[in-house]
Amino acid sequence: MALNFFHYFLSFLIIFKECRASTHWIVTEEGKIQPQLDSIYSLKRPYDLVALMQQEERAVQIEQLKEKLMQQKEEIDQREDKETNLEGKIYATDEDCTAAEKPLTDFDLHASTVVPFPIYKEFGDEFTDFADKMDMNIEFQKPNCTAAVDLDFSMHAFEHLTGVRDRNNMTMPPEVGLHHAVTTVEDIELYGHLVHEFLQRNNTSWILFDMASYYWRIHGNATNAIECARRALHHSPREYKDVTLINLGNILHLCHQSEEAAIVVHAAVDISPDNAICHFTLGNIYAVLADYNKSAICFANSVKIQPDFSQAVLRYHAVMCHNKLEKALEAQHISLQRTLEELREYQKQHEFWLKQHEKLLSEQAPPEVKLEQRLEYEEQKIRESLDGRGQDCFQFEQNGHMVLSCNMRRESYAQSPLDLSLNLQLLQAVENKAAAAKKKECHRTGG
């Protein structure tokens, strides 16, 4: 029994001595098992099972990351946010943009607007007759609405609005273009003097207060323009208040109080819903407030009331065009932000992939070791070849790189008999020791 055990043990030693893991084998698509010469599993520490398992996990993770990165890159490349001239494209192709003839930003959205006075209440002939009799060499006076009527508070003057309440701190640019829209008098200072003279005679005329407000608007004096408009609102009947409300709305709009201007002009629309100027003014205000939907509705209402209102038509299309452009730019911005975030994530994942890949390579055996393993593998194939033919493989350096060269042998290897003498002597020595031990054991037990 001991002899049989020794034979098994000796055979195990011989097999163990001959087994060396030097290559990585893979199964091809055809089902064949073939060696993979440059394997990621050729490790520095081939005896380290934990390192081998970690290398396998690392290889799987790297492949998954690679597929994910390729998919992310494809998705990013297909994004429709690479248009470099989106604005020009929309202006050239959109029907509203072409109908508007120019961008909304090129329109004067603070354009001066006025609602005409009732014809029978205009000061025309009275002004002309008075001017003909005047001494033109006198110093012209300016209309002073505060001096004409002391008005601390009025329920009709929108005193709750900041622009009206803080009128002494309001500033506005001059409305030079308003001159010929409100009077035929060529000299604006003469016009102001005439308003002043008539206010001395009638300090309850809402028309005169509005005319005085126009004078101060032309000069860009917001404080006096609001003071006069307050008195015009206080004295005007409800059916004519839209005239003064549009006046005050323009002042507040030019004072950068556009939200309050919208409140005032809405009141004018309520009084005179069929007045195209009211809707037009409100459309300009909402365009400045960037509420393009309401602005478009207001300009559309102006066109419904007055179809030949060309400025309202152009501004309607300009607002619609600008609204589309802003939405397109906003969508592009959101897409670019999303792409930027994805690029950052892609960069992060790519850096992680590089680190893992470097780790994967660092755990592999050096090229020299792999070549040595390849040589040992070829030698093993030669030894196991049935016809004694195999490959002559040798390693040499070329251009700074290690090269493995293998050629087919044409002669057979000589079959040399194994020298078993050492093994027989070892076997005889073990058997003698086993017999002596058995004899000693029998003697001790009395057998």
Side-chain angles (χ1 to χ4, degrees):
M1 179 177 179
L3 182 60
N4 291 335
F5 175 78
F6 176 76
H7 284 163
Y8 291 141
F9 179 72
L10 186 60
S11 299
F12 175 76
L13 289 176
I14 294 172
I15 294 173
F16 182 78
K17 180 180 178 181
E18 295 299 327
C19 290
R20 298 185 60 185
S22 60
T23 57
H24 171 212
W25 296 78
I26 61 172
V27 180
T28 65
E29 294 181 356
E30 292 79 13
K32 297 181 179 180
I33 301 178
Q34 293 181 351
Q36 184 177 355
L37 302 181
D38 187 16
S39 173
I40 60 173
Y41 299 108
S42 296
L43 305 180
K44 293 179 180 178
R45 305 184 301 277
Y47 52 82
D48 192 340
L49 178 60
V50 175
L52 178 63
M53 295 174 65
Q54 290 178 345
Q55 188 80 335
E56 182 181 10
E57 292 177 0
R58 197 176 292 116
V60 173
Q61 186 180 35
I62 287 174
E63 186 62 26
Q64 291 175 347
L65 279 173
K66 178 183 176 182
E67 293 179 1
K68 182 178 179 181
L69 288 172
M70 292 178 64
Q71 183 179 359
Q72 284 182 338
K73 184 178 183 300
E74 184 178 354
E75 291 176 355
I76 291 172
D77 290 341
Q78 291 178 352
R79 282 281 161 77
E80 297 180 358
D81 52 18
K82 299 178 181 179
E83 178 62 56
T84 57
N85 189 26
L86 179 62
E87 186 173 354
K89 181 179 179 180
I90 291 178
Y91 279 136
T93 59
D94 184 81
E95 57 182 8
D96 283 310
C97 295
T98 55
E101 298 179 1
K102 60 182 180 180
L104 181 65
T105 51
D106 290 348
F107 286 89
D108 182 10
L109 299 177
H110 291 86
S112 304
T113 59
V114 293
V115 175
F117 295 122
I119 297 177
Y120 63 92
K121 290 184 175 292
E122 290 181 350
F123 286 86
D125 295 339
E126 295 91 338
F127 271 16
T128 303
D129 294 341
F130 189 87
D132 290 342
K133 300 174 183 178
M134 277 181 53
D135 181 4
M136 294 298 175
N137 295 321
I138 63 172
E139 181 180 354
F140 293 149
Q141 299 294 314
K142 301 179 186 300
N144 190 331
C145 298
T146 304
V149 174
D150 185 14
L151 184 65
D152 293 333
F153 179 83
S154 174
M155 291 292 294
H156 306 284
F158 292 82
E159 305 284 356
H160 63 288
L161 299 180
T162 302
V164 177
R165 187 175 61 250
D166 298 338
R167 51 191 174 275
N168 292 327
N169 299 321
M170 295 292 109
T171 58
M172 63 181 290
E175 294 183 76
V176 180
L178 188 62
H179 180 178
H180 292 100
V182 297
T183 182
T184 57
V185 179
E186 291 297 328
D187 188 347
I188 191 62
E189 297 305 323
L190 174 59
Y191 169 79
H193 180 78
L194 293 173
V195 174
H196 167 76
E197 289 293 338
F198 276 76
L199 273 176
Q200 298 297 315
R201 302 178 182 184
N202 182 1
N203 64 355
T204 60
S205 171
W206 65 273
I207 293 182
L208 288 173
F209 282 120
D210 266 323
M211 294 175 70
S213 182
Y214 294 153
Y215 171 84
W216 292 114
R217 282 175 61 184
I218 293 169
H219 284 80
N221 190 318
T223 301
N224 285 327
I226 294 174
E227 288 289 3
C228 295
R230 288 176 65 241
R231 287 157 177 79
L233 283 172
H234 181 76
H235 291 287
S236 62
R238 187 183 187 283
E239 61 269 24
Y240 298 131
K241 284 190 184 297
D242 59 315
V243 178
T244 309
L245 289 170
I246 293 299
N247 180 18
L248 179 60
N250 274 271
I251 298 169
L252 294 174
H253 188 39
L254 286 168
C255 290
H256 304 291
Q257 301 291 325
S258 298
E259 291 183 354
E260 296 186 348
I263 295 173
V264 174
V265 177
H266 265 295
V269 172
D270 291 340
I271 293 172
S272 183
D274 295 331
N275 191 323
I277 294 296
C278 295
H279 294 281
F280 179 80
T281 306
L282 194 56
N284 284 332
I285 293 171
Y286 276 127
V288 171
L289 292 174
D291 194 337
Y292 303 116
N293 290 330
K294 290 182 179 178
S295 179
I297 292 173
C298 293
F299 287 130
N301 288 337
S302 296
V303 176
K304 289 178 182 178
I305 297 169
Q306 186 178 333
D308 61 345
F309 199 163
S310 60
Q311 277 298 311
V313 173
L314 292 175
R315 290 170 191 239
Y316 168 80
H317 290 298
V319 166
M320 294 295 291
C321 168
H322 196 82
N323 192 26
K324 296 174 185 177
L325 176 62
E326 282 212 345
K327 288 181 178 179
L329 290 174
E330 183 179 0
Q332 186 184 53
H333 175 72
I334 294 173
S335 180
L336 286 171
Q337 286 289 89
R338 186 171 62 252
T339 302
L340 180 59
E341 292 175 1
E342 291 182 356
L343 285 173
R344 289 171 179 168
E345 179 64 23
Y346 179 87
Q347 182 68 20
K348 182 179 177 182
Q349 293 290 334
H350 188 263
E351 291 175 358
F352 179 71
W353 179 83
L354 287 176
K355 290 179 180 179
Q356 293 297 103
H357 194 265
E358 291 174 0
K359 182 66 174 175
L360 186 77
L361 296 177
S362 67
E363 291 294 325
Q364 296 183 40
E368 294 79 5
V369 175
K370 291 183 179 180
L371 286 174
E372 183 180 353
Q373 292 174 349
R374 174 60 176 168
L375 283 171
E376 293 178 358
Y377 168 70
E378 293 297 333
E379 291 175 0
Q380 180 66 22
K381 285 204 303 181
I382 292 171
R383 286 195 296 267
E384 295 176 354
S385 175
L386 295 177
D387 58 1
R389 295 186 179 184
Q391 294 179 349
D392 280 332
C393 298
F394 57 93
Q395 178 182 356
F396 62 93
E397 185 174 353
Q398 181 179 353
N399 298 328
H401 300 283
M402 298 303 297
V403 178
L404 177 68
S405 177
C406 299
N407 298 313
M408 291 298 297
R409 284 188 179 183
R410 297 188 178 279
E411 71 277 7
S412 302
Y413 274 88
Q415 299 292 330
S416 58
L418 294 176
D419 185 7
L420 299 178
S421 59
L422 178 61
N423 293 336
L424 292 174
Q425 292 175 4
L426 178 61
L427 178 60
Q428 186 64 41
V430 173
E431 288 179 346
N432 292 336
K433 288 183 180 180
K438 183 176 182 181
K439 183 178 181 181
K440 185 178 181 180
E441 179 67 19
C442 291
H443 179 73
R444 186 179 65 82
T445 59

